[in-house]
Amino acid sequence: MKVLSLALVLGAMSVATASAQSVKICDDEAGWPPYVYNPIENGKADKSKIEGAAIDFVNRIFEEVGLEHSTELLPWKRCLAEVENFGDRGNFEMFQNGSYNAERTKIYYISESIYETGRGLFYSTKKFPDGLDVNSVEDAKKYKVCGVHGYNYIDWNLADNQIETSAKSTEQALKKVAAGRCDVVPSAIEPIYGSAAIGKPIVPNGVKPHVVEFLDKTTFHIYIAKTSPRGEELRDKINAAIKKLRADGTHEKIFSQYLNF
């Protein structure tokens, strides 16, 4: 009986300890300014610091939740794999700044949207001086599409042979457009120009977006490991915090500071 009681006590202590553990979050090392980036100091990225609108907002979320957390920037594909395999590796429990993807919801718990971005197809004005003739997803397939390895393009309904994704960053993909190796790159618009706002412009001369109105804005979320024993609890607490911070104006205040470009 004493052994059973001790086991129950130890089990309860283990659950309590797990629920109080700090949360480790990963994000894309390529950056996604003005939402997440290493600040530029003396012409170089300071890898010891991570800033951005999403970073500030997630900090406020965890203040509301009452848990400590840390964020580390990794190669994006590795970040996703770390969270997917949290049950085995026990390292990163969630990733942030992930766009909505129905396939991802089979692997991770997904939070409410932490922000939204407009959509565009970036193209070369030299190659297409009259702009693009794109009024639907099907219209986009008339062009040679390039993207970034590991990024989410599911809403564009492109087969693997309809999008070339060897680029390791959005900057590389845009350079392909400028060089005439691709016609268009689908991307959220704000992060592209956000790079210029932190002193590191990535849009080549003569490249601009065709603003897409036929698709809803892209929503970005926090994804939580389904292999975490507290995964659902974290999702629910995070969602409650997001709703509160949107309702009381905190969300708008934070993001407006970074989107004034």
Side-chain angles (χ1 to χ4, degrees), residues 88-249:
D88 294 327
R89 301 177 186 178
N91 200 4
F92 293 94
E93 201 166 358
M94 59 183 73
F95 66 87
Q96 61 189 25
N97 283 321
S99 58
Y100 178 79
N101 181 329
E103 288 300 309
R104 287 177 179 166
T105 63
K106 299 175 183 178
I107 305 171
Y108 317 96
Y109 296 118
I110 181 173
S111 76
E112 297 281 337
S113 172
I114 55 174
Y115 65 91
E116 301 77 34
T117 61
R119 299 181 191 237
L121 286 169
F122 283 80
Y123 68 96
S124 168
T125 55
K126 180 180 179 180
K127 188 170 186 177
F128 301 102
D130 297 325
L132 302 179
D133 180 22
V134 179
N135 297 296
S136 68
V137 167
E138 287 302 310
D139 286 344
K141 296 177 182 179
K142 297 183 296 186
Y143 301 94
K144 183 178 179 181
V145 184
C146 280
V148 181
H149 183 63
Y151 280 22
N152 171 25
Y153 301 101
I154 193 166
D155 286 350
W156 290 95
N157 195 29
L158 295 162
D160 290 344
N161 63 354
Q162 293 175 312
I163 180 168
E164 195 274 312
T165 57
S166 63
K168 296 181 180 179
S169 69
T170 304
E171 183 175 11
Q172 286 184 7
L174 293 174
K175 285 180 177 178
K176 289 185 178 183
V177 167
R181 294 164 58 193
C182 300
D183 293 336
V184 296
V185 169
S187 177
I189 295 174
E190 290 87 346
I192 300 300
Y193 290 105
S195 62
I198 64 166
K200 191 182 177 183
I202 64 171
V203 183
N205 290 334
V207 173
K208 64 179 291 187
H210 170 89
V211 179
V212 170
E213 303 286 358
F214 52 83
L215 290 174
D216 292 336
K217 286 190 172 185
T218 303
T219 59
F220 289 81
H221 308 258
I222 297 170
Y223 285 86
I224 305 151
K226 283 192 173 181
T227 52
S228 167
R230 58 178 179 174
E232 288 184 277
E233 177 188 2
L234 283 173
R235 178 200 59 198
D236 294 344
K237 288 182 176 180
I238 287 169
N239 283 345
I242 291 171
K243 290 176 182 177
K244 178 181 181 297
L245 295 170
R246 280 188 180 271
D248 68 13

